[in-house]
Amino acid sequence: MSNVSKVLMLLAALSLSLLFFFPMWKIYLEAPQYPEGLEMHIWVNKLGGNTEYTLQNFNILNHYIGMEKINADSFAELKYMPYIVYFLIGSGIIVAFLNKRSLALTWLIMLIVGGAAGLLDFYLWLVKFGTNLDPKAPIKVPGMTYIPPFLGEKQLLNFKALSLPDIGGLAIGLAILLAAIAVYIEFIYRKKRYANKLQAA
Amino acid sequence: MDPRSTFKKLLPAAAFVAALAAMPVLQSCSKTDNKATGGATGSALSSDAASAVYVAPGKHDEYYSFLSGGFSGQVAVYGLPSGRLLKVIPVFSQNPENGYGYNENTKPMLNTSFGFVPWDDLHHPKLSRANETTDGRWLFVNGNNTPRIARIDLKTFETVEIVEIPNSAGNHCSPYPTNNNEYVVAGTRFSVPVTPEGKLQDVSLKEYKDKFRGTISFLKVDKDHGDMNLDFQIMVPGFDYDLANGGKGPSSDWIFFTSYNTEKAGTLKEVGASQNDKDYLLCVNWKLAAKYAAEGKAREIPANYAHNKMNHETNQATSTMKKSVKILLPEECPDMLYLIPVPKSPHGVDIDPSGENIVISGKLASVIPVHSFSKMQTAIKNKDYIGDINGIPVLKYESVLQAEVKEPGLGPLHTEFDGKGNAYSSMFVSSEVVKWSLKDFKVKDRIPVYYSIGHLMIPGGDTKNPSSKYLLAMNKITKDRYLPTGPELAQAGQLIDISGEKMKMLLDFPLIGEPHYAQAIAAEKIAPNSAKMYKLDANKHPYATKKEADTKVVKNGNRVDVYMTAIRSHLTPDNIEGIEVGNEVYFHVTNLEQDWDVPHGFAVMGAQNAELLIMPGATNTFKWVPTKTGVFPFYCTDFCSALHQEMQGYARVSPKGSNVPIAFSTGEKRKAPSQP
């Protein structure tokens, strides 16, 4: 592999560490009586918010519509996802130092599959929480479900919900982009240049 | 007595009588004006007054102002310039609105050596200071009737400390802070027969002149936490001490008190206390006094006074009785006290931002004398005395006089300053605010106020950094100013624009109680620190219940403790059985919310008590002694959520001696715990 590709792979691996410093995803809620807004932050290893009490306040508001309590302990993902990220960072660094472009491609595929699985998992949770409502809920609107938006904006009763990836989530995209450039260089760009060189010769 | 002083003596009296006689005429004149112009201040109002005080919906005011409630015993917080009422803070009076003084948490705040005193007459708010200017941390206020000083924490806008003042009565010239908040001082208005040994004697009222004394108390203020401690007292002659103010700049080491009834009349004081041509300004070198006290010149005498503190971690007040106080006697402490003769029956003493000019507003005087701090120092150095009273030297009036403001109006009460070298004096009798210059001591402008102004206030007008924008007049009489509300009428605040040459009336708004004085401070010094809630994790109330699973009801003899939680939208437990008539039932209700502006309330049918209003994260305790058998609903009184109306429960009360076991639940039934 070229030095450029090695540096790209190294940066790709290291950018994943941003997942431990920033949330992956943020869900913003706004309502007339919440001018200051409520933000739920989804991390690779925890759930949080813009204040330390956000989760409790989400749950208080959600209990009126019969939504199940959102509790970090009920997500096994939050326990094993960090290990997947550690593995990807570690293996990415190793790949950067090994001269094997096939390993770089393998790493990129693992990352894409991991990221896609994460997004799918996130979506399924949103559907589960939004539809699995207590039949004894005090507020029941016929036909209404409360699936928060996966990406973008949605009105849920008095709340305007906005869902966007945050720096952690964008870091996965960045890692994919960097690794993909490295793979492109190794498999297509260098091959083309080699072919051009041959032709010139 | 020389003829000049006889004339001086007569002149103010003559002016006062003339003013009293003219008052009905003046008032009926202005009444006619009202009808002619469609508003009493129609002519005085500038055309852009409305926009000057308009704060658009959702926008914040520029200043917080704190107005004393007088006989309401509370402090009212208004935004300026809008005049919108933001909050009423209970201090010396029970407040059924939030349970202050009714719930078990705050009852000890109102404890005194006389027992539980649920009311007081709150006169003067003063903001804490740092670097010689207001810092927005605490507000100190006095209780006049049962001498007390309270401290309000401006993070929570709650009363957090009350100290009773022993050896005093009519705690009026209080609570005046020294320039950097080292001390808050309190003085006696109604002298009482207290001995140097600290005994309040049972004496014949005819012995006023010989036995009655006043005291000046110095409460040391902790720099970091604000906690007050009665450091020492000075025993002073038995006059009536009226108002005070600390020096600033060069005069920072001094604090000044006006006094009247230097005649020491014990009855019909309106005449008896108005006989002397001059009363006195008492000048106290507090730095020297503190030094004397620290050096052991003060004698420790027995006392009995309450010191009440609110603990923020437990949300529980405690009352401690203190048993002694240190007292200084002037005759043993040279250079500590001086008297300056001032026109009789003075009210306000106010020191200009430079610290040099000491302005005396004598309500019966025809001029406003301005004394010079530097001349006072020279007079002290030259021993320019005209005599002494109880060993306190009396300085010569003319030697310490800077100037007299001539023809200021009638009944000057109080003066504050702007940042441009002007002073503003309130005129009670002629019902006006008068602006005069500190450069030539001449009157520059006057504006009528409606009616009978007491104090006035300029934000920072008592510090070295006054605002030059607004002045608030606090008026005692309103009569026809608002829609009539029967015989009992509100008092009025009038906001005046002082930014230009001429004063302009901007706004007129009714006030609660009787505001004797006020303070104001730029909003940014307080707003960013205002607490949104209490942290549930930090709640150390002995009966706090931090999750619903820990709620319980415990019966021990005649006492029942209910460990209850409140969260949108239920109380846990909400079904309680096993209470008997005559039990002392304590509901310890913890608000589990950790969100902004979600208090819960709590009330029980038939309870001889007020409600609880519990802030998020706090625990409050409600005492109920049921007097009848039956089933008693309880509920949340603060509209907290869409299901607020459903936030209710029942307590069953059985006859005394019945065998109904303790049981409690919410939703699904749970087993009762075994009895202790």
Side-chain angles (χ1 to χ4, degrees), chain A residues 34 36 52-53 56-57 60-61 63-64 138, chain B residues 535 567-569 592-596 641 643:
Chain A
Y34 279 93
E36 74 277 21
E52 55 185 306
Y53 311 117
Q56 172 175 345
N57 293 326
I60 289 173
L61 296 168
H63 97 276
Y64 291 116
Chain B
K535 261 183 113 121
I567 194 163
R568 283 163 288 172
S569 303
L592 295 179
E593 305 281 356
Q594 293 286 262
D595 201 356
W596 190 20
S641 59
L643 278 299

Side-chain angles (χ1 to χ4, degrees), chain B residues 234-358:
Chain B
I234 302 174
M235 188 151 279
V236 287
F239 309 154
D240 287 23
Y241 296 87
D242 201 22
L243 285 173
N245 253 312
K248 46 183 84 95
S251 54
S252 284
D253 292 357
W254 293 77
I255 187 157
F256 305 91
F257 297 80
T258 53
S259 69
Y260 61 100
N261 193 25
T262 53
E263 300 86 346
K264 298 189 182 175
T267 180
L268 195 61
K269 289 197 185 188
E270 72 169 309
V271 175
S274 307
Q275 294 307 300
N276 285 354
D277 175 34
K278 293 263 189 324
D279 287 307
Y280 297 107
L281 182 72
L282 176 70
C283 312
V284 181
N285 185 331
W286 67 262
K287 271 253 169 86
L288 189 60
K291 189 165 160 265
Y292 283 143
E295 280 171 354
K297 276 217 158 157
R299 57 184 73 182
E300 188 147 349
I301 58 169
N304 188 32
Y305 64 98
H307 189 167
N308 311 330
K309 271 191 189 183
M310 173 56 79
N311 180 327
H312 261 307
E313 290 190 319
T314 59
N315 194 26
Q316 179 72 50
T318 47
S319 178
T320 315
M321 295 309 294
K322 298 276 178 78
K323 295 297 180 191
S324 73
V325 64
K326 288 194 288 184
I327 196 151
L328 287 172
L329 300 178
E331 48 269 39
E332 298 172 1
C333 301
D335 307 324
M336 182 175 72
L337 304 181
Y338 294 92
L339 294 168
I340 297 176
V342 290
K344 68 178 176 183
S345 303
H347 196 56
V349 49
D350 301 283
I351 294 88
D352 81 333
S354 74
E356 163 66 8
N357 294 306
I358 305 163

Side-chain angles (χ1 to χ4, degrees), chain B residues 226 287 372 589:
Chain B
K287 271 253 169 86
S372 153
V589 188

